[in-house]
Coordinates of all heavy atoms in Angstrom, one line a residue:
M29 N 95.9 119.8 68.2 CA 95.1 118.7 67.8 C 95.9 117.5 67.4 O 95.6 116.4 67.8 CB 94.3 119.2 66.6 CG 93.0 119.9 67.0 SD 92.0 118.9 68.0 CE 90.4 119.6 67.6
R30 N 97.0 117.7 66.7 CA 97.8 116.6 66.2 C 98.3 115.8 67.4 O 98.4 114.6 67.3 CB 98.8 117.1 65.3 CG 99.7 116.0 64.7 CD 100.6 116.6 63.6 NE 101.6 115.5 63.3 CZ 101.7 115.2 62.0 NH1 101.1 115.8 61.1 NH2 102.5 114.2 61.7
S31 N 98.9 116.5 68.4 CA 99.5 115.8 69.4 C 98.5 115.0 70.3 O 98.8 113.9 70.8 CB 100.2 116.7 70.4 OG 99.3 117.7 71.0
Q32 N 97.3 115.5 70.3 CA 96.2 114.6 71.0 C 95.9 113.4 70.2 O 95.7 112.3 70.8 CB 94.9 115.5 71.1 CG 94.9 116.5 72.2 CD 93.6 117.2 72.3 OE1 92.9 117.5 71.3 NE2 93.1 117.5 73.5
A33 N 95.9 113.5 68.9 CA 95.5 112.2 68.1 C 96.8 111.3 68.3 O 96.5 110.1 68.3 CB 95.4 112.6 66.6
E34 N 98.0 111.8 68.2 CA 99.2 110.9 68.4 C 99.2 110.3 69.8 O 99.5 109.1 69.9 CB 100.4 111.7 68.2 CG 100.7 112.1 66.8 CD 101.9 113.0 66.6 OE1 102.6 113.3 67.6 OE2 102.1 113.4 65.5
S35 N 98.8 111.1 70.8 CA 98.7 110.4 72.2 C 97.7 109.4 72.2 O 97.8 108.4 72.9 CB 98.4 111.6 73.2 OG 99.5 112.5 73.3
A36 N 96.5 109.7 71.6 CA 95.4 108.7 71.6 C 95.8 107.4 70.9 O 95.5 106.3 71.4 CB 94.2 109.3 70.9
R37 N 96.5 107.5 69.8 CA 97.0 106.3 69.1 C 98.1 105.6 69.9 O 98.0 104.4 70.0 CB 97.6 106.7 67.8 CG 98.0 105.4 67.0 CD 98.9 105.8 65.7 NE 99.3 104.7 65.1 CZ 100.1 103.7 65.5 NH1 100.7 103.7 66.7 NH2 100.5 102.6 64.7
A38 N 98.9 106.3 70.6 CA 100.0 105.7 71.4 C 99.3 104.9 72.6 O 99.7 103.8 72.9 CB 101.0 106.7 71.9
E39 N 98.3 105.5 73.1 CA 97.6 104.8 74.2 C 96.8 103.6 73.8 O 96.9 102.6 74.4 CB 96.6 105.8 74.9 CG 95.9 105.3 76.2 CD 95.1 106.4 76.9 OE1 95.3 107.5 76.7 OE2 94.2 105.9 77.6
R40 N 96.2 103.6 72.6 CA 95.5 102.5 72.0 C 96.4 101.4 71.7 O 96.3 100.2 72.1 CB 94.8 102.9 70.7 CG 94.0 101.7 70.1 CD 93.6 102.0 68.6 NE 94.7 102.3 67.7 CZ 95.5 101.4 67.2 NH1 95.3 100.2 67.4 NH2 96.4 101.8 66.3
V41 N 97.7 101.7 71.2 CA 98.7 100.7 70.9 C 99.2 100.0 72.2 O 99.3 98.8 72.3 CB 99.9 101.3 70.2 CG1 101.1 100.4 70.1 CG2 99.4 101.7 68.7
L42 N 99.4 100.8 73.3 CA 99.8 100.3 74.5 C 98.7 99.4 75.2 O 99.0 98.3 75.8 CB 100.3 101.4 75.5 CG 101.6 101.9 75.2 CD1 101.9 103.1 76.1 CD2 102.7 100.9 75.3
D43 N 97.5 99.8 75.1 CA 96.4 99.0 75.5 C 96.3 97.6 74.9 O 96.2 96.6 75.5 CB 95.0 99.7 75.4 CG 94.8 100.8 76.4 OD1 95.5 100.8 77.4 OD2 93.8 101.7 76.2
E44 N 96.5 97.6 73.6 CA 96.5 96.4 72.8 C 97.7 95.5 73.2 O 97.6 94.3 73.3 CB 96.4 96.7 71.3 CG 95.1 97.2 70.9 CD 95.0 97.5 69.4 OE1 96.0 97.1 68.7 OE2 94.1 98.3 69.0
A45 N 98.9 96.1 73.3 CA 100.1 95.4 73.7 C 99.9 94.8 75.0 O 100.4 93.7 75.3 CB 101.3 96.4 73.6
D46 N 99.2 95.5 75.9 CA 99.0 94.9 77.3 C 98.1 93.8 77.2 O 98.3 92.8 77.9 CB 98.4 96.1 78.2 CG 98.1 95.6 79.6 OD1 99.1 95.2 80.2 OD2 96.9 95.7 80.1
R47 N 97.1 93.8 76.4 CA 96.2 92.6 76.3 C 97.0 91.4 75.7 O 96.9 90.3 76.3 CB 95.0 92.9 75.3 CG 93.9 93.7 76.0 CD 92.7 93.7 75.1 NE 92.7 94.6 74.0 CZ 92.5 95.9 74.1 NH1 92.2 96.5 75.2 NH2 92.6 96.6 72.9
V48 N 97.9 91.6 74.7 CA 98.7 90.5 74.3 C 99.6 90.0 75.4 O 99.8 88.8 75.6 CB 99.5 90.9 73.0 CG1 100.6 90.0 72.6 CG2 98.6 91.3 71.8
L49 N 100.3 90.9 76.0 CA 101.3 90.5 77.1 C 100.4 89.7 78.2 O 100.9 88.7 78.7 CB 101.9 91.8 77.7 CG 102.9 91.5 78.8 CD1 104.1 90.8 78.2 CD2 103.3 92.8 79.5
S50 N 99.3 90.2 78.6 CA 98.5 89.5 79.6 C 98.1 88.1 79.2 O 98.2 87.2 79.9 CB 97.3 90.3 79.9 OG 97.7 91.5 80.5
A51 N 97.7 87.9 77.9 CA 97.4 86.7 77.4 C 98.6 85.7 77.5 O 98.4 84.6 77.9 CB 96.8 86.8 76.0
F52 N 99.7 86.1 77.1 CA 100.9 85.3 77.1 C 101.3 85.0 78.6 O 101.8 83.8 78.8 CB 102.1 85.9 76.4 CG 102.2 85.6 75.0 CD1 101.3 86.2 74.0 CD2 103.1 84.6 74.5 CE1 101.3 85.7 72.7 CE2 103.1 84.3 73.2 CZ 102.2 84.9 72.3
A53 N 101.2 86.0 79.5 CA 101.5 85.7 80.9 C 100.7 84.7 81.6 O 101.1 84.1 82.5 CB 101.6 87.1 81.7
L54 N 99.4 84.6 81.0 CA 98.6 83.5 81.6 C 98.7 82.1 81.1 O 98.1 81.2 81.6 CB 97.1 84.0 81.4 CG 96.7 85.2 82.2 CD1 95.3 85.6 81.7 CD2 96.8 85.0 83.7
L55 N 99.6 81.9 80.2 CA 99.8 80.6 79.5 C 100.6 79.7 80.5 O 101.4 80.1 81.3 CB 100.6 80.7 78.2 CG 99.9 81.4 77.1 CD1 100.8 81.5 75.9 CD2 98.7 80.6 76.7
A56 N 100.3 78.5 80.4 CA 101.1 77.4 81.2 C 102.4 77.3 80.7 O 102.8 77.7 79.5 CB 100.3 76.0 81.1
A57 N 103.3 76.7 81.5 CA 104.7 76.5 81.1 C 104.9 75.8 79.8 O 105.7 76.2 79.0 CB 105.5 75.8 82.3
D58 N 104.2 74.7 79.6 CA 104.3 74.0 78.4 C 103.9 74.8 77.1 O 104.5 74.7 76.1 CB 103.3 72.7 78.4 CG 103.9 71.7 79.4 OD1 105.1 71.7 79.8 OD2 103.1 70.8 79.8
D59 N 102.9 75.6 77.3 CA 102.5 76.5 76.3 C 103.5 77.6 75.9 O 103.9 77.8 74.8 CB 101.1 77.2 76.5 CG 100.0 76.2 76.5 OD1 100.0 75.2 75.8 OD2 99.1 76.3 77.4
L60 N 104.2 78.2 77.0 CA 105.2 79.1 76.8 C 106.4 78.4 76.2 O 107.1 79.0 75.3 CB 105.6 79.7 78.1 CG 104.5 80.7 78.7 CD1 105.0 81.1 80.1 CD2 104.5 82.0 77.8
D61 N 106.7 77.2 76.6 CA 107.8 76.5 75.9 C 107.7 76.3 74.4 O 108.6 76.5 73.7 CB 108.1 75.1 76.5 CG 108.7 75.2 77.9 OD1 109.3 76.2 78.3 OD2 108.5 74.2 78.7
R62 N 106.5 76.0 74.0 CA 106.1 76.0 72.6 C 106.3 77.3 71.8 O 106.4 77.3 70.6 CB 104.7 75.4 72.4 CG 104.7 73.9 72.6 CD 103.4 73.3 72.2 NE 102.2 73.6 73.0 CZ 102.0 73.0 74.1 NH1 102.6 71.9 74.6 NH2 100.9 73.4 74.8
R63 N 106.3 78.4 72.6 CA 106.3 79.8 72.0 C 107.7 80.4 72.2 O 107.7 81.6 72.0 CB 105.2 80.6 72.5 CG 103.8 80.0 72.0 CD 102.6 80.8 72.8 NE 101.4 80.4 72.3 CZ 100.6 79.3 72.5 NH1 101.2 78.4 73.3 NH2 99.5 79.1 72.0
L64 N 108.6 79.7 72.6 CA 110.0 80.3 72.8 C 110.4 80.9 71.5 O 110.2 80.4 70.4 CB 111.0 79.3 73.3 CG 110.8 78.9 74.7 CD1 111.8 77.7 75.0 CD2 110.9 79.9 75.7
G65 N 111.1 82.2 71.6 CA 111.5 82.9 70.4 C 110.6 84.0 70.1 O 109.8 84.4 70.8
S66 N 110.9 84.6 68.9 CA 110.0 85.7 68.5 C 109.0 85.3 67.4 O 109.3 84.6 66.5 CB 110.9 86.8 67.9 OG 111.8 87.3 68.8
H67 N 107.8 85.9 67.6 CA 106.7 85.4 66.8 C 105.8 86.7 66.5 O 105.5 87.4 67.4 CB 105.8 84.3 67.4 CG 106.6 83.2 67.8 ND1 107.1 82.2 66.9 CD2 107.1 82.8 69.0 CE1 107.8 81.3 67.5 NE2 107.8 81.6 68.8
P68 N 105.4 86.9 65.3 CA 104.3 87.9 65.1 C 103.0 87.6 65.7 O 102.5 86.4 65.6 CB 104.2 88.0 63.5 CG 104.7 86.7 63.0 CD 105.7 86.2 64.1
V69 N 102.3 88.5 66.3 CA 101.0 88.4 66.9 C 100.3 89.7 66.5 O 100.5 90.7 67.2 CB 101.1 88.2 68.4 CG1 99.7 88.2 68.9 CG2 101.8 86.9 68.7
G70 N 99.5 89.7 65.5 CA 98.8 90.8 65.1 C 99.8 92.0 64.6 O 100.7 91.6 63.8
E71 N 99.7 93.1 65.1 CA 100.6 94.2 64.8 C 101.8 94.2 65.6 O 102.7 95.1 65.5 CB 99.9 95.6 64.9 CG 99.5 95.9 66.3 CD 98.7 97.2 66.4 OE1 99.4 98.3 66.3 OE2 97.5 97.2 66.5
F72 N 102.0 93.2 66.5 CA 103.2 93.2 67.4 C 104.1 91.9 67.1 O 103.7 91.1 66.3 CB 102.7 93.0 68.8 CG 101.7 94.2 69.2 CD1 100.4 93.9 69.4 CD2 102.2 95.4 69.4 CE1 99.5 94.8 69.7 CE2 101.3 96.5 69.8 CZ 100.0 96.2 69.9
V73 N 105.3 92.0 67.7 CA 106.2 90.8 67.8 C 106.3 90.5 69.3 O 106.7 91.3 70.0 CB 107.5 91.1 67.1 CG1 108.5 90.0 67.3 CG2 107.4 91.5 65.7
V74 N 106.0 89.3 69.5 CA 106.2 88.8 70.9 C 107.4 87.8 71.1 O 107.6 86.9 70.3 CB 105.0 88.0 71.4 CG1 105.1 87.5 72.8 CG2 103.6 88.9 71.3
D75 N 108.3 88.2 71.9 CA 109.5 87.5 72.2 C 109.4 86.7 73.6 O 109.2 87.4 74.6 CB 110.7 88.3 72.2 CG 112.0 87.6 72.3 OD1 112.2 86.6 71.6 OD2 112.8 87.9 73.2
V76 N 109.4 85.4 73.5 CA 109.3 84.6 74.8 C 110.7 84.0 75.0 O 111.3 83.3 74.1 CB 108.3 83.6 74.8 CG1 108.2 82.7 76.0 CG2 106.9 84.2 74.4
Q77 N 111.3 84.2 76.2 CA 112.6 83.7 76.5 C 112.5 82.9 77.9 O 111.6 83.3 78.7 CB 113.7 84.7 76.6 CG 113.9 85.4 75.3 CD 115.0 86.6 75.5 OE1 115.6 86.7 76.6 NE2 115.2 87.4 74.6
R78 N 113.4 82.0 78.1 CA 113.4 81.3 79.4 C 114.8 81.3 79.9 O 115.5 80.5 79.7 CB 112.9 79.9 79.2 CG 112.6 79.2 80.6 CD 112.0 77.9 80.4 NE 113.1 76.9 79.9 CZ 113.0 75.7 79.5 NH1 111.7 75.2 79.4 NH2 114.0 75.0 79.2
P79 N 115.1 82.5 80.7 CA 116.5 82.6 81.2 C 116.8 81.6 82.3 O 117.9 81.3 82.6 CB 116.6 84.0 81.7 CG 115.1 84.4 81.9 CD 114.3 83.6 81.0
R80 N 115.7 81.0 83.0 CA 115.9 80.0 84.0 C 114.8 79.0 83.9 O 113.8 79.2 83.2 CB 115.8 80.7 85.4 CG 117.0 81.6 85.7 CD 117.0 81.9 87.2 NE 118.0 83.0 87.4 CZ 117.8 84.1 88.1 NH1 116.6 84.3 88.6 NH2 118.8 85.0 88.2
R81 N 115.0 77.9 84.5 CA 114.1 76.8 84.3 C 112.6 77.1 84.5 O 111.8 76.8 83.9 CB 114.5 75.7 85.3 CG 113.6 74.4 85.0 CD 114.3 73.2 85.7 NE 113.5 72.0 85.4 CZ 112.6 71.4 86.1 NH1 112.4 71.9 87.4 NH2 112.0 70.3 85.7
S82 N 112.3 77.9 85.6 CA 111.0 78.3 85.9 C 110.7 79.8 85.8 O 109.7 80.3 86.3 CB 110.6 77.8 87.3 OG 111.4 78.6 88.2
L83 N 111.5 80.5 85.0 CA 111.3 82.0 84.8 C 111.2 82.2 83.3 O 112.1 81.7 82.5 CB 112.5 82.7 85.4 CG 112.4 84.3 85.1 CD1 111.2 84.8 85.9 CD2 113.7 84.9 85.6
Y84 N 110.2 83.0 82.9 CA 110.0 83.4 81.5 C 110.1 84.8 81.4 O 109.6 85.6 82.2 CB 108.7 82.8 80.9 CG 108.6 81.4 80.9 CD1 108.2 80.5 82.0 CD2 109.0 80.7 79.7 CE1 108.2 79.2 81.9 CE2 109.0 79.4 79.6 CZ 108.5 78.6 80.7 OH 108.5 77.2 80.6
R85 N 110.7 85.3 80.3 CA 110.6 86.8 80.0 C 109.8 86.9 78.7 O 110.1 86.3 77.7 CB 112.1 87.2 79.7 CG 112.1 88.8 79.3 CD 113.5 89.1 78.9 NE 113.7 90.4 78.5 CZ 113.5 91.0 77.3 NH1 113.2 90.2 76.4 NH2 113.6 92.3 77.1
I86 N 108.7 87.8 78.8 CA 107.9 88.0 77.7 C 107.9 89.5 77.3 O 107.8 90.3 78.2 CB 106.5 87.6 78.1 CG1 106.4 86.2 78.5 CG2 105.5 87.8 76.9 CD1 105.1 85.8 79.2
A87 N 108.2 89.7 76.1 CA 108.3 91.1 75.6 C 107.5 91.3 74.4 O 107.3 90.4 73.5 CB 109.8 91.5 75.3
V88 N 106.8 92.5 74.4 CA 105.9 92.8 73.2 C 106.6 94.0 72.6 O 106.8 95.0 73.2 CB 104.5 93.1 73.6 CG1 103.6 93.5 72.5 CG2 103.9 91.9 74.4
A89 N 106.8 93.8 71.3 CA 107.5 94.9 70.6 C 106.5 95.4 69.4 O 105.7 94.7 69.0 CB 108.8 94.5 70.0
D90 N 106.8 96.6 68.9 CA 106.1 97.1 67.8 C 106.5 96.3 66.6 O 107.6 96.0 66.3 CB 106.6 98.6 67.5 CG 105.8 99.3 66.6 OD1 105.3 98.7 65.6 OD2 105.8 100.6 66.6
G91 N 105.5 95.9 65.8 CA 105.7 95.0 64.5 C 106.5 95.7 63.6 O 107.3 95.1 62.7
D92 N 106.4 97.1 63.5 CA 107.1 97.9 62.4 C 108.5 98.2 62.9 O 109.4 98.5 62.1 CB 106.3 99.2 62.2 CG 104.9 99.0 61.6 OD1 104.8 98.0 60.9 OD2 104.1 99.8 61.9
A93 N 108.7 98.0 64.1 CA 110.1 98.4 64.7 C 110.4 97.3 65.9 O 110.3 97.6 67.0 CB 110.2 99.7 65.2
P94 N 110.7 96.0 65.5 CA 110.9 95.0 66.4 C 111.8 95.2 67.5 O 111.7 94.7 68.6 CB 111.2 93.7 65.6 CG 110.8 94.0 64.3 CD 110.9 95.5 64.1
G95 N 112.8 96.1 67.4 CA 113.7 96.4 68.4 C 113.1 97.4 69.4 O 113.7 97.6 70.5
R96 N 112.0 98.0 69.1 CA 111.3 98.9 70.1 C 110.3 98.2 70.9 O 109.2 98.0 70.6 CB 110.6 100.0 69.3 CG 110.2 101.1 70.1 CD 109.5 102.2 69.3 NE 108.4 102.7 70.1 CZ 107.1 102.9 69.6 NH1 106.9 102.5 68.4 NH2 106.2 103.2 70.5
M97 N 110.8 97.8 72.2 CA 110.0 97.1 73.1 C 108.9 98.1 73.7 O 109.2 99.2 74.2 CB 110.8 96.5 74.3 CG 111.8 95.4 73.8 SD 111.0 94.1 73.2 CE 112.3 93.3 72.4
L98 N 107.7 97.6 73.7 CA 106.6 98.4 74.3 C 106.3 98.0 75.7 O 106.2 98.8 76.6 CB 105.2 98.2 73.5 CG 105.4 98.6 72.0 CD1 104.2 98.1 71.3 CD2 105.6 100.1 71.9
L99 N 106.4 96.7 76.0 CA 106.1 96.1 77.3 C 107.0 94.8 77.5 O 107.1 94.1 76.6 CB 104.7 95.8 77.5 CG 103.7 96.9 77.4 CD1 102.2 96.4 77.4 CD2 103.9 97.9 78.6
V100 N 107.4 94.7 78.7 CA 108.2 93.5 79.1 C 107.9 93.1 80.5 O 107.6 93.9 81.3 CB 109.8 93.9 79.0 CG1 110.5 92.5 79.4 CG2 110.2 94.3 77.7
T101 N 107.8 91.8 80.7 CA 107.5 91.3 82.0 C 108.2 90.0 82.2 O 108.6 89.3 81.2 CB 106.0 91.1 82.2 OG1 105.8 90.8 83.7 CG2 105.4 89.9 81.5
G102 N 108.4 89.6 83.4 CA 108.9 88.3 83.8 C 107.8 87.5 84.6 O 107.1 88.1 85.4
C103 N 107.7 86.2 84.4 CA 106.7 85.5 85.1 C 107.3 84.1 85.4 O 108.0 83.5 84.6 CB 105.4 85.5 84.4 SG 105.4 84.7 82.8
G104 N 107.0 83.7 86.6 CA 107.4 82.3 87.0 C 106.3 81.3 86.6 O 105.1 81.7 86.7
S105 N 106.7 80.2 86.3 CA 105.7 79.1 86.1 C 106.3 77.8 86.7 O 107.1 77.1 86.0 CB 105.6 78.9 84.6 OG 104.5 78.0 84.3
P106 N 105.9 77.5 87.9 CA 106.4 76.3 88.6 C 106.0 75.0 87.8 O 104.9 75.0 87.3 CB 105.9 76.4 90.0 CG 104.7 77.2 89.9 CD 105.0 78.2 88.7
R107 N 107.0 74.1 87.8 CA 106.7 72.8 87.1 C 106.4 71.7 88.2 O 107.2 71.7 89.1 CB 107.8 72.4 86.2 CG 108.0 73.4 85.1 CD 109.2 73.0 84.3 NE 109.4 73.9 83.2 CZ 108.9 73.7 82.0 NH1 108.2 72.5 81.8 NH2 109.1 74.5 81.0
R108 N 105.5 70.9 87.9 CA 105.3 69.7 88.7 C 106.0 68.6 88.1 O 105.9 68.4 86.9 CB 103.8 69.5 88.8 CG 103.2 69.5 90.1 CD 101.9 69.1 90.2 NE 101.2 69.5 88.9 CZ 100.1 68.9 88.5 NH1 99.5 68.0 89.2 NH2 99.5 69.2 87.3
R109 N 106.7 67.8 89.0 CA 107.3 66.6 88.5 C 106.1 65.6 88.1 O 105.1 65.6 88.7 CB 108.1 65.9 89.5 CG 109.4 66.8 89.9 CD 110.3 66.0 90.8 NE 109.5 65.2 91.8 CZ 109.6 65.5 93.2 NH1 110.5 66.4 93.6 NH2 109.0 64.8 94.0
R110 N 106.4 64.8 87.1 CA 105.3 63.8 86.6 C 104.8 62.9 87.7 O 103.7 62.5 87.8 CB 105.8 63.0 85.4 CG 106.0 63.9 84.2 CD 106.5 63.0 83.0 NE 106.9 63.9 82.0 CZ 106.1 64.2 80.9 NH1 105.0 63.7 80.8 NH2 106.6 64.9 79.9
D111 N 105.7 62.6 88.6 CA 105.3 61.7 89.7 C 104.7 62.4 91.0 O 104.3 61.8 91.9 CB 106.6 60.8 90.2 CG 107.7 61.7 90.7 OD1 107.7 62.8 90.5 OD2 108.5 61.1 91.5
E112 N 104.7 63.7 90.8 CA 104.2 64.5 92.0 C 102.7 64.8 91.8 O 102.3 65.2 90.7 CB 104.9 65.8 92.0 CG 104.5 66.8 93.2 CD 105.3 68.0 93.1 OE1 106.3 68.2 92.4 OE2 105.0 68.9 93.9
T113 N 101.9 64.5 92.8 CA 100.5 64.7 92.7 C 100.2 66.1 93.3 O 100.7 66.6 94.3 CB 99.7 63.7 93.7 OG1 100.1 62.4 93.3 CG2 98.2 63.8 93.6
A114 N 99.3 66.8 92.5 CA 98.9 68.1 92.9 C 98.0 68.1 94.1 O 97.1 67.2 94.2 CB 98.2 68.8 91.8
R115 N 98.1 68.9 95.1 CA 97.4 68.8 96.3 C 96.8 70.2 96.7 O 97.5 71.2 96.5 CB 98.2 68.3 97.5 CG 98.6 66.9 97.2 CD 99.1 66.2 98.5 NE 99.4 64.8 98.2 CZ 98.6 63.7 98.1 NH1 97.3 63.9 98.4 NH2 99.0 62.5 97.9
W116 N 95.7 70.2 97.4 CA 95.1 71.5 97.9 C 95.9 71.8 99.2 O 96.7 71.0 99.7 CB 93.6 71.3 98.2 CG 92.8 71.0 97.0 CD1 92.3 69.9 96.7 CD2 92.3 72.0 96.1 NE1 91.6 70.0 95.6 CE2 91.5 71.3 95.1 CE3 92.6 73.4 95.9 CZ2 91.0 71.9 94.1 CZ3 92.0 73.9 94.8 CH2 91.2 73.3 93.8
S117 N 95.8 73.0 99.6 CA 96.5 73.5 100.8 C 96.2 72.6 102.0 O 97.0 72.5 103.0 CB 96.2 74.9 101.1 OG 94.8 75.1 101.4
D118 N 95.0 71.9 102.1 CA 94.7 71.1 103.3 C 95.2 69.7 103.1 O 94.9 68.8 103.8 CB 93.1 71.1 103.6 CG 92.4 70.5 102.5 OD1 92.9 70.0 101.4 OD2 91.1 70.4 102.6
G119 N 95.9 69.4 102.0 CA 96.5 68.1 101.7 C 95.7 67.1 100.9 O 96.2 66.1 100.4
R120 N 94.4 67.5 100.5 CA 93.6 66.6 99.7 C 94.2 66.7 98.2 O 94.7 67.7 97.8 CB 92.2 67.1 99.6 CG 91.5 67.0 100.9 CD 90.0 67.5 100.8 NE 90.0 68.9 100.6 CZ 89.3 69.5 99.6 NH1 88.6 68.9 98.8 NH2 89.5 70.9 99.4
E121 N 94.1 65.6 97.6 CA 94.5 65.4 96.2 C 93.6 66.3 95.2 O 92.4 66.2 95.3 CB 94.6 64.0 95.8 CG 95.2 63.7 94.4 CD 95.3 62.3 94.1 OE1 95.7 61.5 94.9 OE2 95.0 61.9 92.9
C122 N 94.2 67.0 94.3 CA 93.4 67.8 93.4 C 93.0 66.8 92.2 O 93.7 66.0 91.8 CB 94.3 68.9 92.7 SG 94.8 70.1 93.8
R123 N 91.8 66.9 91.8 CA 91.3 66.0 90.7 C 90.7 66.9 89.6 O 90.4 67.8 89.6 CB 90.1 65.1 91.2 CG 90.6 64.2 92.3 CD 89.5 63.1 92.6 NE 89.9 62.4 93.8 CZ 90.6 61.3 93.7 NH1 91.1 60.8 92.7 NH2 91.0 60.7 94.9

């Protein structure tokens, strides 16, 4: 019985960590830049790093043991130059 309860708790924690990781992975580059470093988010610690100009590393750790990473992902976030106009695949300008 005890191991079932521990397994259920571990699964709940990973599900919640996955939601936090997904939310951060969907942020725009400017938002990720504002969140560089380690920050508490609920019961977790989220660490955002930018090892390359358009690559971010997002890690979610246990808040009680920040060195224990639960989930880690890398995501790219292409940047547009300020003078560059966003265009659809057919060449029309995005508005």
